[in-house]
DNA sequence: TACACTAATTGTAAATTATACAAAAAGCTT
DNA sequence: AAGCTTTTTGTATAATTTACAATTAGTGTA
């Protein structure tokens, strides 16, 4: 390691031994949003140890010395929710010197959107309490987690327009109304039903089935499926929703 | 530090002493784009030491133990360009286990857009060669810097539509043609002049001056200034360019 | 069986915006 | 004064958005 000297500032920096740079750690914090029937929630854990004992916090963990950053995020998501096929992507890294009371720890925030109903009741290997919290009723959070949550919520609004993470919270056959509700809930706006449907009809990745709802006390809706392949093609060409 | 135990996996992880987690380091790499007269370039340095000796690389440095992440990025930008009032914002963190041959080092990429003409010839405190490279002629880069550059270029295209970083590469009084050229160069498209101008005329943050170009051998263009205040207001309301 | 009820689906006219050009204007140059 | 170049304005058409209204297809009820 001795050759890797910081090179920009020669004067004061060279007086810091290189070992001092290798006394920090990094963690991953996961912002796991859950969408179910027009409700947006986030998964929080209650801490069982100091610092911030008993505070609610985003689920997170230190990254193993031999573990990729992305792998760490997937591991945490899986341990918490048992879900493995959910895309979890980086949001931002938080690196204030004093953000962790016990040492220099920077944390990388990751974001996922899941359907809570998909979760098997998760194993108790996790000591602390785990709970969904409505996005409008968030308790005081440990560390800088409130800031991380706010940034992640903005990022969620952005991603739902540019990526297909919304597809994970819809059943395999869904109505256009359900589709619309996902966007209305996450973006916090509402759209004219007729116009929304007309806009959406152009998208080739929504395929209409020869099948309709049953046992609803009104005109049954036609069902659609999501064709991930087609979406990927359009995304390559720069597609994004414009709601 | 002893209380901060990783909590997710209890079995194998608890056998790793906590100290092992504090043997990593993090660095900041700066992707400094330069725009000048329809040319987009990036600032690279040539490494003077192993690993990757003599390779071109993004300017970067380890983060001081007592230095915020954002501060480290500003420091590097300032040392390299002497510029201090340029916004430099995080792009993404790269954290593959093997990305650095000499140890576990994750790096946080930052992005800035500057006007090369603003740079005072920068001090020689930096040992290695520093050079602007056209975005279309990038040599082989050290580490995973090519990937970092690619991701950052995408991010630049995105940010130029959502933020006012373009304002730093225009003179304080500019023509609408100059304004248009910035977007054409960075986005890699071209726009109809008349239509572009009509669209842009609506934006209140572009203020027309009672002043025109001089000594040009054609009809002189009216000059405009950028009103950052107005832009900030519109951005709060969700404004972004739609080119 | 017919009628009411609900939400799905389709339709439409007006307003707005985008697009592709063309024409006119204003300096400098010769 | 005529020509050159780029700016600036204009315009007719096409395309899209918007705000509603009307119709439809089921279920539940009289």
């Amino acid at each position: 390691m001795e050759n890797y000297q910081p090179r920009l500032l020669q004067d004061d920096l060279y007086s810091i031994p290189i070992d001092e740079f290798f006394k920090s750690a990094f963690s991953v914090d996961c912002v796991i949003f859950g969408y179910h029937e027009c409700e947006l929630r986030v998964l929080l854990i209650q801490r069982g140890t100091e610092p911030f004992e008993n505070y609610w916090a985003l689920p997170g963990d230190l990254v193993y010395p031999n573990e990729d950053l992305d792998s760490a995020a997937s591991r945490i998501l899986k341990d918490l929710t048992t879900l493995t096929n959910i895309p979890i992507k980086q949001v931002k890294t938080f690196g204030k010197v004093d953000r962790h009371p016990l040492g220099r720890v920077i944390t990388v925030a990751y974001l996922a959107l899941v359907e809570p109903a998909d979760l098997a009741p998760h194993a108790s290997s996790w000591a602390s309490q785990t709970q969904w919290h409505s996005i409008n009723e968030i308790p005081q959070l440990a560390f800088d987690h409130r800031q991380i949550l706010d940034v992640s919520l903005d990022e969620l609004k952005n991603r739902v327009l540019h990526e297909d993470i919304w597809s994970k919270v819809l059943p395999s056959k869904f109505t256009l109304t359900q589709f619309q509700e996902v966007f209305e809930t996450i973006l916090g706006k509402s759209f004219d039903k007729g116009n929304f449907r007309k806009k959406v009809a152009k998208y080739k990745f929504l395929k209409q089935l020869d099948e309709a709802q049953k046992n609803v006390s009104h005109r049954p809706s036609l069902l659609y499926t999501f064709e991930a392949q087609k979406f990927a093609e359009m995304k390559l060409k720069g597609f994004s929703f414009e709601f």
Side-chain angles (χ1 to χ4, degrees), chain A residues 206-220:
Chain A
L206 294 181
K207 187 179 178 189
Q208 184 188 310
L209 302 174
D210 295 326
E211 203 175 334
Q213 283 181 311
K214 293 214 165 122
N215 300 316
V216 287
S217 72
H218 54 75
R219 176 173 177 172

Side-chain angles (χ1 to χ4, degrees), chain A residues 44-176:
Chain A
L44 300 178
I45 59 114
Q46 193 167 28
R47 290 180 57 84
T49 54
E50 290 292 343
F52 292 102
E53 186 165 4
N54 297 326
Y55 277 66
W56 290 92
L58 296 169
D61 196 7
L62 293 175
V63 178
Y64 290 19
N66 64 340
E67 183 181 42
D68 288 348
L69 224 40
D70 291 348
S71 310
S74 299
R75 167 174 59 85
I76 294 170
L77 177 66
K78 181 181 162 223
D79 288 345
L80 214 60
T81 67
T82 71
L83 301 176
T84 56
N85 64 336
I86 296 289
I88 181 160
K89 284 187 57 184
Q90 202 184 109
V91 175
K92 196 182 165 184
T93 297
F94 294 81
K96 289 266 180 207
V97 170
D98 58 359
R99 62 170 297 284
H100 198 298
L102 298 182
R104 184 73 199 269
V105 183
I106 69 174
T107 196
V108 186
Y110 278 76
L111 178 163
L113 179 63
V114 307
E115 158 61 271
D118 291 346
L119 271 58
H122 73 275
S124 59
S125 80
W126 178 269
S128 313
Q129 199 182 159
T130 303
Q131 218 170 70
W132 289 108
H133 288 252
S134 167
I135 206 65
N136 302 311
E137 297 163 12
I138 303 294
Q140 196 179 8
L141 299 183
F143 306 105
D144 50 1
H145 285 190
R146 177 72 214 203
Q147 188 198 352
I148 296 177
L149 176 58
D150 289 342
V151 171
S152 298
L153 183 55
D154 280 346
E155 184 66 19
L156 173 65
K157 291 179 184 182
N158 190 48
R159 275 190 204 173
V160 88
L161 295 176
H162 293 271
E163 291 162 35
D164 58 0
I165 52 174
W166 47 266
S167 66
K168 300 294 180 182
V169 300
L170 287 171
S172 63
K173 301 173 180 181
F174 53 87
T175 70
L176 290 188

Side-chain angles (χ1 to χ4, degrees), chain A residues 18-45:
Chain A
I18 185 73
D19 284 351
E20 290 301 312
F21 287 93
F22 280 82
K23 288 190 176 165
S24 44
F26 36 89
S27 61
V28 159
D29 285 312
C30 292
V31 186
I32 301 169
F33 291 106
Y35 171 88
H36 185 75
E37 288 177 0
C38 301
E39 267 273 27
L40 186 61
R41 299 201 173 84
V42 66
L43 202 53
L44 300 178
I45 59 114

